[in-house]
């Protein structure tokens, strides 16, 4: 919860520099659930989805299996999905990942580095980046059916 309040403070201070479509995706490096470090800039040439989430977020929990299905379906077509957990302590996140059995890599943003760069102000926030490293879509929140919008966005960018 402390993180979420900090996010709002960061957003209030940085409102003039919000990430918009067609902006270059800010680069970051974060540790992953697979034990390695992932640098966003190294993913150029692929369509990248960043899904910022927290274990206490109900809508995040609902969409994770749907995101995992998209990851499995489109990964062979040049699509990469990273769940970005925003909690300072990732203990609950790791338990949830094990419970849900998601296969996409999860990055741990315990110091709010990436979350601040992307001005995350809602849980979940899903950012879709094209093959050239440009932010093309920013989706805040989740409601049933949003996965269809995500699929359309992914397909559009894979075709480019």
């Amino acid at each position: 919860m402390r993180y979420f309040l900090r996010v709002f403070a960061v957003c209030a201070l940085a409102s003039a520099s919000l990430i918009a479509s067609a902006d270059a995706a800010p680069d970051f490096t974060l540790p992953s659930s697979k034990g390695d470090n992932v640098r966003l800039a190294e993913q150029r040439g692929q369509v990248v989805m960043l899904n910022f989430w927290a274990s206490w977020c109900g809508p995040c929990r609902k969409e994770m299996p749907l995101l995992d299905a998209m990851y499995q379906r489109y990964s062979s077509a040049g699509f990469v999905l990273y769940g970005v957990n925003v909690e300072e302590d990732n203990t609950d996140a790791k338990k949830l990942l094990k419970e849900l059995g998601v296969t996409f890599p999860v990055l741990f943003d315990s110091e709010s580095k990436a979350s601040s760069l992307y001005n995350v102000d809602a849980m979940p926030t899903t950012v879709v980046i094209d093959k050239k490293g440009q932010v093309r879509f920013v989706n805040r929140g989740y409601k049933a059916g949003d996965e269809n919008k995500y699929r359309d966005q992914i397909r559009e960018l894979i075709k480019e």
Side-chain angles (χ1 to χ4, degrees):
M1 188 54 100
R2 276 186 299 177
Y3 168 78
F4 204 62
L5 295 174
R6 197 167 62 226
V7 167
F8 282 119
V10 168
C11 291
L13 293 172
S15 61
S17 62
L18 291 175
I19 299 297
S21 294
D23 282 350
D27 190 27
F28 60 81
T29 301
L30 291 173
S32 85
S33 57
K34 309 231 187 250
D36 57 343
N37 287 327
V38 172
R39 182 172 180 208
L40 181 62
E42 293 175 355
Q43 308 311 311
R44 287 264 166 83
Q46 300 189 83
V47 174
V48 178
M49 177 181 276
L50 302 174
N51 177 259
F52 293 88
W53 66 280
S55 62
W56 47 259
C57 166
C60 300
R61 291 170 175 256
K62 287 182 182 176
E63 80 172 342
M64 289 187 89
L66 303 168
L67 293 173
D68 197 55
M70 281 186 270
Y71 171 71
Q72 291 179 26
R73 179 170 184 181
Y74 295 108
S75 61
S76 63
F79 171 70
V80 177
L81 168 61
Y82 293 109
V84 183
N85 180 263
V86 301
E87 297 167 272
E88 290 177 20
D89 178 357
N90 61 31
T91 305
D92 290 340
K94 288 180 178 179
K95 286 179 191 173
L96 180 63
L97 294 172
K98 193 171 191 174
E99 177 185 320
L100 295 176
V102 297
T103 60
F104 59 83
V106 172
L107 309 179
F108 298 107
D109 190 23
S110 60
E111 296 177 7
S112 306
K113 293 176 183 178
S115 305
S116 295
L117 289 171
Y118 285 84
N119 299 304
V120 173
D121 60 359
M123 283 292 121
T125 293
T126 303
V127 178
V128 187
I129 302 166
D130 68 17
K131 296 174 187 178
K132 295 177 184 175
Q134 301 295 308
V135 173
R136 295 287 291 277
F137 302 101
V138 178
N139 305 282
R140 289 178 171 79
Y142 172 79
K143 62 185 181 318
D146 279 353
E147 61 276 8
N148 298 320
K149 174 177 59 174
Y150 297 163
R151 279 189 205 101
D152 291 344
Q153 293 170 354
I154 293 165
R155 287 184 199 136
E156 176 184 331
L157 296 182
I158 286 173
K159 289 179 185 176
E160 291 183 352

mmCIF file of all heavy atoms in Angstrom, residues 123-143:
data_model
loop_
_atom_site.group_PDB
_atom_site.id
_atom_site.type_symbol
_atom_site.label_atom_id
_atom_site.label_comp_id
_atom_site.label_asym_id
_atom_site.label_seq_id
_atom_site.Cartn_x
_atom_site.Cartn_y
_atom_site.Cartn_z
ATOM 1 N N MET A 123 -3.712 0.167 -10.966
ATOM 2 C CA MET A 123 -3.369 -1.256 -10.960
ATOM 3 C C MET A 123 -4.499 -2.012 -11.623
ATOM 4 O O MET A 123 -5.653 -1.825 -11.223
ATOM 5 C CB MET A 123 -3.211 -1.775 -9.538
ATOM 6 C CG MET A 123 -1.922 -1.392 -8.868
ATOM 7 S SD MET A 123 -0.499 -2.188 -9.597
ATOM 8 C CE MET A 123 0.426 -0.756 -10.083
ATOM 9 N N PRO A 124 -4.226 -2.842 -12.578
ATOM 10 C CA PRO A 124 -2.959 -2.949 -13.293
ATOM 11 C C PRO A 124 -2.830 -1.830 -14.337
ATOM 12 O O PRO A 124 -3.809 -1.187 -14.691
ATOM 13 C CB PRO A 124 -3.091 -4.300 -13.999
ATOM 14 C CG PRO A 124 -4.570 -4.443 -14.251
ATOM 15 C CD PRO A 124 -5.239 -3.791 -13.069
ATOM 16 N N THR A 125 -1.618 -1.629 -14.787
ATOM 17 C CA THR A 125 -1.345 -0.777 -15.942
ATOM 18 C C THR A 125 -0.592 -1.638 -16.940
ATOM 19 O O THR A 125 0.393 -2.283 -16.586
ATOM 20 C CB THR A 125 -0.515 0.463 -15.567
ATOM 21 O OG1 THR A 125 -1.297 1.315 -14.727
ATOM 22 C CG2 THR A 125 -0.084 1.238 -16.804
ATOM 23 N N THR A 126 -1.072 -1.648 -18.180
ATOM 24 C CA THR A 126 -0.464 -2.470 -19.220
ATOM 25 C C THR A 126 0.016 -1.578 -20.347
ATOM 26 O O THR A 126 -0.759 -0.812 -20.922
ATOM 27 C CB THR A 126 -1.482 -3.508 -19.737
ATOM 28 O OG1 THR A 126 -1.930 -4.291 -18.622
ATOM 29 C CG2 THR A 126 -0.856 -4.419 -20.778
ATOM 30 N N VAL A 127 1.307 -1.660 -20.642
ATOM 31 C CA VAL A 127 1.946 -0.847 -21.665
ATOM 32 C C VAL A 127 2.377 -1.779 -22.793
ATOM 33 O O VAL A 127 2.999 -2.812 -22.540
ATOM 34 C CB VAL A 127 3.180 -0.115 -21.086
ATOM 35 C CG1 VAL A 127 3.890 0.698 -22.163
ATOM 36 C CG2 VAL A 127 2.787 0.763 -19.900
ATOM 37 N N VAL A 128 2.048 -1.409 -24.031
ATOM 38 C CA VAL A 128 2.441 -2.219 -25.186
ATOM 39 C C VAL A 128 3.414 -1.407 -26.026
ATOM 40 O O VAL A 128 3.124 -0.264 -26.405
ATOM 41 C CB VAL A 128 1.216 -2.656 -26.015
ATOM 42 C CG1 VAL A 128 1.637 -3.628 -27.106
ATOM 43 C CG2 VAL A 128 0.156 -3.306 -25.121
ATOM 44 N N ILE A 129 4.564 -2.004 -26.300
ATOM 45 C CA ILE A 129 5.681 -1.347 -26.982
ATOM 46 C C ILE A 129 5.921 -2.040 -28.315
ATOM 47 O O ILE A 129 5.950 -3.269 -28.381
ATOM 48 C CB ILE A 129 6.944 -1.426 -26.096
ATOM 49 C CG1 ILE A 129 6.663 -0.771 -24.730
ATOM 50 C CG2 ILE A 129 8.148 -0.799 -26.786
ATOM 51 C CD1 ILE A 129 7.696 -1.091 -23.671
ATOM 52 N N ASP A 130 6.113 -1.242 -29.378
ATOM 53 C CA ASP A 130 6.320 -1.840 -30.702
ATOM 54 C C ASP A 130 7.762 -2.310 -30.896
ATOM 55 O O ASP A 130 8.620 -2.144 -30.018
ATOM 56 C CB ASP A 130 5.866 -0.887 -31.814
ATOM 57 C CG ASP A 130 6.724 0.370 -31.964
ATOM 58 O OD1 ASP A 130 7.866 0.423 -31.456
ATOM 59 O OD2 ASP A 130 6.241 1.310 -32.615
ATOM 60 N N LYS A 131 8.025 -2.896 -32.046
ATOM 61 C CA LYS A 131 9.335 -3.486 -32.343
ATOM 62 C C LYS A 131 10.458 -2.459 -32.372
ATOM 63 O O LYS A 131 11.623 -2.795 -32.201
ATOM 64 C CB LYS A 131 9.282 -4.218 -33.686
ATOM 65 C CG LYS A 131 8.339 -5.396 -33.694
ATOM 66 C CD LYS A 131 8.219 -5.978 -35.093
ATOM 67 C CE LYS A 131 7.150 -7.043 -35.154
ATOM 68 N NZ LYS A 131 6.986 -7.580 -36.510
ATOM 69 N N LYS A 132 10.109 -1.186 -32.585
ATOM 70 C CA LYS A 132 11.108 -0.116 -32.631
ATOM 71 C C LYS A 132 11.372 0.493 -31.257
ATOM 72 O O LYS A 132 12.156 1.414 -31.132
ATOM 73 C CB LYS A 132 10.653 0.972 -33.598
ATOM 74 C CG LYS A 132 10.574 0.504 -35.034
ATOM 75 C CD LYS A 132 10.048 1.606 -35.921
ATOM 76 C CE LYS A 132 9.878 1.092 -37.350
ATOM 77 N NZ LYS A 132 9.258 2.112 -38.215
ATOM 78 N N GLY A 133 10.668 -0.009 -30.247
ATOM 79 C CA GLY A 133 10.874 0.500 -28.895
ATOM 80 C C GLY A 133 10.026 1.716 -28.560
ATOM 81 O O GLY A 133 10.356 2.452 -27.627
ATOM 82 N N GLN A 134 8.918 1.901 -29.274
ATOM 83 C CA GLN A 134 8.016 3.030 -29.030
ATOM 84 C C GLN A 134 6.790 2.558 -28.245
ATOM 85 O O GLN A 134 6.209 1.521 -28.569
ATOM 86 C CB GLN A 134 7.539 3.640 -30.355
ATOM 87 C CG GLN A 134 8.664 4.153 -31.242
ATOM 88 C CD GLN A 134 9.406 5.322 -30.625
ATOM 89 O OE1 GLN A 134 8.817 6.307 -30.218
ATOM 90 N NE2 GLN A 134 10.720 5.193 -30.538
ATOM 91 N N VAL A 135 6.391 3.333 -27.244
ATOM 92 C CA VAL A 135 5.157 3.031 -26.516
ATOM 93 C C VAL A 135 3.999 3.301 -27.466
ATOM 94 O O VAL A 135 3.868 4.393 -28.005
ATOM 95 C CB VAL A 135 5.013 3.914 -25.258
ATOM 96 C CG1 VAL A 135 3.640 3.715 -24.615
ATOM 97 C CG2 VAL A 135 6.116 3.608 -24.261
ATOM 98 N N ARG A 136 3.176 2.302 -27.692
ATOM 99 C CA ARG A 136 2.052 2.454 -28.620
ATOM 100 C C ARG A 136 0.700 2.452 -27.923
ATOM 101 O O ARG A 136 -0.231 3.095 -28.378
ATOM 102 C CB ARG A 136 2.106 1.354 -29.669
ATOM 103 C CG ARG A 136 3.324 1.450 -30.572
ATOM 104 C CD ARG A 136 3.232 2.599 -31.563
ATOM 105 N NE ARG A 136 2.206 2.345 -32.543
ATOM 106 C CZ ARG A 136 2.379 1.600 -33.644
ATOM 107 N NH1 ARG A 136 3.561 1.076 -33.911
ATOM 108 N NH2 ARG A 136 1.381 1.396 -34.459
ATOM 109 N N PHE A 137 0.591 1.712 -26.821
ATOM 110 C CA PHE A 137 -0.678 1.644 -26.096
ATOM 111 C C PHE A 137 -0.407 1.645 -24.597
ATOM 112 O O PHE A 137 0.520 0.983 -24.134
ATOM 113 C CB PHE A 137 -1.448 0.364 -26.447
ATOM 114 C CG PHE A 137 -1.745 0.211 -27.913
ATOM 115 C CD1 PHE A 137 -0.973 -0.618 -28.704
ATOM 116 C CD2 PHE A 137 -2.801 0.904 -28.499
ATOM 117 C CE1 PHE A 137 -1.239 -0.768 -30.061
ATOM 118 C CE2 PHE A 137 -3.074 0.769 -29.849
ATOM 119 C CZ PHE A 137 -2.294 -0.072 -30.634
ATOM 120 N N VAL A 138 -1.233 2.395 -23.862
ATOM 121 C CA VAL A 138 -1.195 2.377 -22.402
ATOM 122 C C VAL A 138 -2.620 2.100 -21.942
ATOM 123 O O VAL A 138 -3.539 2.850 -22.269
ATOM 124 C CB VAL A 138 -0.684 3.712 -21.819
ATOM 125 C CG1 VAL A 138 -0.702 3.659 -20.296
ATOM 126 C CG2 VAL A 138 0.712 4.040 -22.332
ATOM 127 N N ASN A 139 -2.795 1.003 -21.225
ATOM 128 C CA ASN A 139 -4.104 0.570 -20.741
ATOM 129 C C ASN A 139 -4.089 0.605 -19.224
ATOM 130 O O ASN A 139 -3.279 -0.078 -18.606
ATOM 131 C CB ASN A 139 -4.396 -0.856 -21.219
ATOM 132 C CG ASN A 139 -4.293 -0.990 -22.730
ATOM 133 O OD1 ASN A 139 -5.190 -0.606 -23.447
ATOM 134 N ND2 ASN A 139 -3.168 -1.533 -23.212
ATOM 135 N N ARG A 140 -4.980 1.400 -18.631
ATOM 136 C CA ARG A 140 -5.039 1.510 -17.168
ATOM 137 C C ARG A 140 -6.256 0.763 -16.643
ATOM 138 O O ARG A 140 -7.353 0.931 -17.148
ATOM 139 C CB ARG A 140 -5.077 2.972 -16.772
ATOM 140 C CG ARG A 140 -3.743 3.667 -17.008
ATOM 141 C CD ARG A 140 -3.782 5.132 -16.652
ATOM 142 N NE ARG A 140 -2.444 5.703 -16.678
ATOM 143 C CZ ARG A 140 -1.799 6.066 -17.777
ATOM 144 N NH1 ARG A 140 -2.372 5.902 -18.949
ATOM 145 N NH2 ARG A 140 -0.591 6.574 -17.713
ATOM 146 N N GLY A 141 -6.032 -0.049 -15.595
ATOM 147 C CA GLY A 141 -7.113 -0.831 -15.021
ATOM 148 C C GLY A 141 -7.374 -2.068 -15.861
ATOM 149 O O GLY A 141 -6.735 -2.298 -16.882
ATOM 150 N N TYR A 142 -8.313 -2.876 -15.397
ATOM 151 C CA TYR A 142 -8.725 -4.065 -16.132
ATOM 152 C C TYR A 142 -10.175 -4.368 -15.816
ATOM 153 O O TYR A 142 -10.591 -4.322 -14.658
ATOM 154 C CB TYR A 142 -7.880 -5.294 -15.761
ATOM 155 C CG TYR A 142 -8.441 -6.553 -16.367
ATOM 156 C CD1 TYR A 142 -8.214 -6.856 -17.704
ATOM 157 C CD2 TYR A 142 -9.250 -7.405 -15.617
ATOM 158 C CE1 TYR A 142 -8.772 -7.987 -18.282
ATOM 159 C CE2 TYR A 142 -9.805 -8.538 -16.187
ATOM 160 C CZ TYR A 142 -9.566 -8.823 -17.522
ATOM 161 O OH TYR A 142 -10.126 -9.930 -18.082
ATOM 162 N N LYS A 143 -10.925 -4.656 -16.870
ATOM 163 C CA LYS A 143 -12.278 -5.174 -16.711
ATOM 164 C C LYS A 143 -12.443 -6.326 -17.692
ATOM 165 O O LYS A 143 -11.723 -6.398 -18.703
ATOM 166 C CB LYS A 143 -13.333 -4.090 -16.932
ATOM 167 C CG LYS A 143 -13.349 -3.470 -18.307
ATOM 168 C CD LYS A 143 -14.354 -2.329 -18.352
ATOM 169 C CE LYS A 143 -14.445 -1.665 -19.698
ATOM 170 N NZ LYS A 143 -13.250 -1.401 -20.424
#
